[in-house]
Amino acid sequence: MQVCTVAAALRMANKMLNTLPGSKETAVLMGMVRLLRSSPKLTKRQLVSLMFFRAMDEERSTRRVYASLCKSLFTDSDQSLEEVVTDIMKRMMKLTELLPVGASPGLRATIYQKQMQCTMFWELLVSKVC
């Protein structure tokens, strides 16, 4: 399976995540590892970012599966998962700073809620137990 673009690879990863929780976590992990091998420009950081984005709207049990997937992706890696997710989290928390001054209270509340969901996901990722 040769994937041409990062966008196409991320779409394929998103489709794999859509199969959860029905499919086995190991099958999704193996699919993501194959994607990383077949798409040289795709990075683990991009896959973790995708799971962060999805985790904002998922149930706690699904966030746990995503956290487990992220940890498995970084098991034999020279990169630190904690560094990657902390960087992603810092960018997520800056979203409110980027809002225009006149942004509606509803938009601010929605962003705050998404940030809290991301914080819970981040805590799962940096904890020793998943």
Side-chain angles (χ1 to χ4, degrees):
M1 153 178 56
Q2 183 66 19
V3 180
C4 298
T5 66
V6 171
L10 286 171
R11 280 192 298 276
M12 290 178 76
N14 195 45
K15 285 180 185 176
M16 288 178 205
L17 291 172
N18 284 340
T19 67
L20 292 170
S23 65
K24 298 230 183 272
E25 180 183 329
T26 52
V28 173
L29 176 62
M30 290 171 44
M32 289 190 174
V33 169
R34 280 194 308 273
L35 266 179
L36 285 165
R37 288 184 185 139
S38 66
S39 183
K41 292 183 180 180
L42 180 67
T43 66
K44 292 176 184 178
R45 174 186 219 96
Q46 290 165 320
L47 289 175
V48 172
S49 292
L50 171 65
M51 286 187 250
F52 250 96
F53 180 75
R54 289 182 56 108
M56 287 189 266
D57 296 317
E58 294 290 353
E59 298 291 324
R60 182 173 172 77
S61 60
T62 305
R63 285 195 305 268
R64 284 181 172 276
V65 173
Y66 288 176
S68 178
L69 282 169
C70 289
K71 288 179 179 186
S72 295
L73 282 173
F74 279 81
T75 299
D76 299 326
S77 180
D78 56 342
Q79 257 185 319
S80 162
L81 175 61
E82 190 168 345
E83 288 174 16
V84 169
V85 298
T86 299
D87 180 58
I88 292 169
M89 194 62 210
K90 284 178 186 173
R91 288 187 281 132
M92 286 298 300
M93 296 313 282
K94 288 185 179 179
L95 285 176
T96 50
E97 296 171 17
L98 301 173
L99 284 173
V101 176
S104 73
L107 177 59
R108 288 185 185 282
T110 299
I111 289 176
Y112 177 76
Q113 179 185 22
K114 301 292 184 188
Q115 287 173 326
M116 291 305 100
Q117 295 291 343
C118 283
T119 301
M120 288 188 278
F121 186 58
W122 175 81
E123 288 172 349
L124 282 172
L125 285 167
V126 297
S127 71
K128 301 300 178 203
V129 179
C130 198

